[in-house]
Amino acid sequence: MTPPRWMTFIIIVFTLPLFSTPWLVRTCPPGQETVKTLIQLYPFYMALSAWLAYKAYPQRHYVSWLLLLMMALSTAAIFILTKS
């Protein structure tokens, strides 16, 4: 059983910030290796969360929605880290 197309579309939209990773690495504040490490781990976390949200939706809708919420919050956190 697969999730409906609208859910697949939402998961893809939440995964689109992955393409900003090169820009995030370039705008990383100098001398902050912890932030740079978090930015480098960000794509793996987002891809894994998207895959898990896709796989969890048919049986556990709430887990999928929680993963999407965590993806949105982590994206906001990464962008805030690069701005400071």
Side-chain angles (χ1 to χ4, degrees):
M1 191 168 166
T2 60
R5 289 185 185 182
W6 61 268
M7 186 61 178
T8 304
F9 178 74
I10 290 174
I11 291 171
I12 290 170
V13 167
F14 272 76
T15 310
L16 286 177
L18 279 175
F19 295 108
S20 67
T21 303
W23 177 79
L24 290 170
V25 171
R26 277 194 310 263
T27 60
C28 180
Q32 294 189 359
E33 294 303 316
T34 306
V35 173
K36 189 172 183 178
T37 303
L38 289 174
I39 292 171
Q40 291 172 345
L41 291 174
Y42 172 71
F44 300 109
Y45 165 74
M46 290 293 283
L48 181 63
S49 292
W51 181 74
L52 289 173
Y54 181 81
K55 289 295 189 180
Y57 188 81
Q59 295 177 355
R60 295 191 173 114
H61 302 292
Y62 61 90
V63 172
S64 187
W65 286 109
L66 285 173
L67 284 167
L68 289 174
L69 176 66
M70 294 303 295
M71 287 172 66
L73 292 174
S74 65
T75 299
I78 288 292
F79 277 91
I80 289 171
L81 277 173
T82 58
K83 295 294 180 186
S84 58

